[in-house]
Structures are given as structure tokens and as C-alpha cells.
Amino acid sequence: MSGPTAMALGPYAFEAIGFGYDGLSRKVQTPWAEVKVAQTLDQLQWVGPTSEEVSIKGVLFPAQHGGQSSLDGIIAAANAGQVLMLVSGDATLGTIHGRFTIQSVDEDKSYFTAYGEARRNSYTITLKRYGQNDSGGGSTGGILSPILNLFG
């Protein structure tokens, strides 16, 4: 490792130097359905969360600081359809964000050496939450879990 780990996607650690990131965005969708009601305004009914997307943006300088092998590993995991755990922080104050699928990896390489190696590689990794039950094990209730949670 080149420095402190700020975040990790599965076995791929985002570090202060090397494979780092400079931006993180999150989009959570929780739609409401309109229910027609006679002689009054339509009522809204919450239908629950439908998706969560996270985008990680960063810039690599492979010739000076490395990091390209980690990005290549994430691309390989995406091509293999692997579900990876996203965590941030350290062992004391860390946050487990859950399991995510890799939806896309965009690269923008520039400033090439005489040998064709990019000196700068800007990237965006787009993730989507794998599912509501991120515990990894079986859950009691299955499809009835939201109803059972009302009584728990």
C-alpha cells in the first residue's frame, strides 16, 4: 500500500497516493406512487427504495504513482460479474456501505509516453447496490421481511 486507505471496493483499496479518488457521489431513489382519489388531490403512497447508485471519480498517474493495476482489477471484477463490498474509513470509524455491483468503468487516458503508456488516467466507476439484504446470509421472512419489520 502507498498510504492510508480511505475506502475499499472489495480487495481494491483507494489510497492517498497511487490508486486514489477525488470525488464520490450517491443517488438514492425512493419513489412515491400517485393514487387517484375522487374530488380531492391525488394522494401519494411511498413504494419503498428502488435503487442506490454510487459514482467514484479519480485520476491516476500510473507512471509516477501506480494504481493502474487496481483499476484493471476492478474492470476484471466487473467483467466477471462479481459483487463487491464497499467500505470507507478505518477500522475504528469505518462505515460498511453494503454490497455493490460494478455497472461501468469509464477511463480517459492522456499524456502518453513514447512507449504508449498513459501518464494520466481519469476514471469514473459507477456502482449499484446489489440488494436490500446486504448481510450476505439468508434472511428470515424473505418477501415478507418488510411486513415483519413493522412488528420488530
Side-chain angles (χ1 to χ4, degrees), residues 44-55:
L44 294 176
Q45 179 181 1
W46 185 58
V47 296
T50 58
S51 67
E52 179 180 354
E53 290 186 12
V54 173
S55 293

Side-chain angles (χ1 to χ4, degrees), residues 1-151:
M1 287 189 184
S2 299
T5 300
M7 185 170 58
L9 179 61
Y12 307 101
F14 294 87
E15 302 167 339
I17 298 174
F19 184 56
Y21 68 100
D22 57 22
L24 182 76
S25 62
R26 180 178 174 207
K27 179 181 179 181
V28 177
Q29 294 187 359
T30 59
W32 290 72
E34 285 193 29
V35 179
K36 301 287 184 188
V37 177
Q39 300 179 348
T40 186
L41 294 174
D42 291 347
Q43 299 297 305
L44 294 176
Q45 179 181 1
W46 185 58
V47 296
T50 58
S51 67
E52 179 180 354
E53 290 186 12
V54 173
S55 293
I56 303 167
K57 298 177 183 182
V59 178
L60 300 177
F61 299 96
Q64 293 83 14
H65 304 291
Q68 186 63 46
S69 61
S70 293
L71 187 59
D72 291 341
I74 289 174
I75 292 170
N79 287 330
Q82 292 181 340
V83 178
L84 301 174
M85 185 68 70
L86 180 65
V87 297
S88 62
D90 61 12
T92 306
L93 300 172
T95 302
I96 298 173
H97 298 281
R99 299 185 313 160
F100 284 82
T101 61
I102 302 165
Q103 297 295 304
S104 65
V105 178
D106 298 325
E107 292 183 279
D108 186 10
K109 296 180 179 184
S110 57
Y111 304 106
F112 294 91
T113 67
Y115 302 103
E117 180 184 13
R119 290 189 174 127
R120 182 181 189 277
N121 185 2
S122 172
Y123 69 87
T124 301
I125 303 167
T126 304
L127 308 172
K128 190 174 250 187
R129 184 176 289 280
Y130 180 63
Q132 187 169 348
N133 181 10
D134 281 341
S135 64
S139 69
T140 40
I143 197 165
L144 298 176
S145 290
I147 296 169
L148 293 175
N149 288 338
L150 292 174
F151 302 104

